[in-house]
């Protein structure tokens, strides 16, 4: 960052292919440039920019600590629940996700680290309450839109409620 330049955090919201909800967190020194760039991506990629709060209500700040398939589920479950985790979910592919409130994240993460199990990923993020399953064509369009947002200089993070099935992701990888 350049000294003497004032940066501000801004969140933009809108809808992408198949009506998926998208939130974009930005850090900018020029609000006009950033809103024009974000609006341009929405327009060119078949989406619609929304107003403040138009999709934010669909997301909640949560800590998510994930483990690879084959991790001892009982050990994760015991450590997570004893340390105050909100939920532990074993996914159909065998991976395990531990959900926490943002304030409990550090305590839960420390307790899980103490088990010695390898964490695949851990972050505090905006998690969608509901997701939208996408077919191949809409998934391709949604990923292109998300990537276009991520390429903008002022964009810090992009959140979406799009759900890409393993089958759709495999087909996208083939293309």
């Amino acid at each position: 960052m350049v000294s003497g330049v004032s940066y501000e955090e801004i969140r933009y919201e809108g809808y992408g292919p198949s009506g998926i909800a998208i939130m974009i967190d930005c850090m900018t020194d020029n609000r006009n440039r950033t809103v024009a760039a974000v609006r341009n991506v929405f327009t060119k990629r078949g989406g619609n920019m929304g107003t403040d709060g138009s999709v934010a209500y669909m997301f909640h700040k949560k800590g998510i600590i994930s483990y690879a398939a084959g991790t001892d589920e009982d050990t994760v479950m015991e450590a997570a629940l004893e340390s105050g985790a909100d939920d532990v979910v074993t996914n159909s592919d065998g991976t395990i996700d531990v959900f926490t409130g943002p304030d409990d994240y550090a305590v839960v993460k420390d307790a899980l680290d103490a088990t010695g199990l390898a964490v695949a990923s851990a972050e505090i993020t905006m998690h969608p309450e509901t997701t939208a399953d996408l077919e191949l064509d809409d998934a391709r369009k949604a990923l292109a839109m998300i990537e276009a947002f991520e390429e903008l200089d002022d964009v810090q993070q992009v959140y979406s409620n799009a759900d890409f099935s393993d089958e759709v992701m495999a087909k996208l990888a083939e293309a």
Side-chain angles (χ1 to χ4, degrees):
M1 297 203 180
V2 179
S3 65
V5 176
S6 176
Y7 288 89
E8 63 180 313
E9 293 180 10
I10 305 171
R11 173 171 286 162
Y12 297 106
E13 305 173 34
Y15 298 92
S18 289
I20 62 168
I22 299 176
M23 284 194 323
I24 304 105
D25 284 344
C26 301
M27 174 95 51
T28 185
D29 63 341
N30 185 330
R31 180 183 287 254
N32 292 332
R33 176 192 68 229
T34 304
V35 72
V38 169
R39 181 174 284 117
N40 186 41
V41 171
F42 272 118
T43 302
K44 285 189 173 185
R45 301 286 179 169
N48 296 305
M49 193 158 166
T51 58
D52 286 349
S54 61
V55 300
Y57 72 93
M58 295 182 206
F59 295 83
H60 297 287
K61 192 175 229 180
K62 290 186 178 183
I64 304 174
I65 304 160
S66 300
Y67 291 89
T71 303
D72 182 14
E73 184 179 357
D74 291 336
T75 302
V76 171
M77 183 81 68
E78 183 178 331
L81 296 178
E82 285 181 6
S83 61
D86 292 342
D87 198 7
V88 178
V89 176
T90 302
N91 300 301
S92 60
D93 62 358
T95 59
I96 302 169
D97 293 325
V98 178
F99 294 92
T100 74
D103 296 336
D104 301 328
Y105 176 79
V107 171
V108 174
K109 173 95 170 52
D110 289 345
L112 289 166
D113 287 346
T115 66
L117 297 173
V119 173
S121 68
E123 65 180 338
I124 295 177
T125 187
M126 296 300 288
H127 190 265
E129 287 302 311
T130 60
T131 57
D133 294 324
L134 298 179
E135 296 300 322
L136 184 61
D137 189 48
D138 286 333
R140 184 177 289 115
K141 292 175 186 174
L143 285 173
M145 178 181 273
I146 291 167
E147 288 172 4
F149 283 127
E150 290 173 343
E151 290 173 6
L152 298 175
D153 289 339
D154 295 337
V155 171
Q156 302 296 304
Q157 191 71 301
V158 178
Y159 306 102
S160 165
N161 72 339
D163 187 18
F164 305 100
S165 70
D166 292 339
E167 178 183 308
V168 166
M169 290 305 287
K171 288 179 182 176
L172 287 172
E174 293 171 5

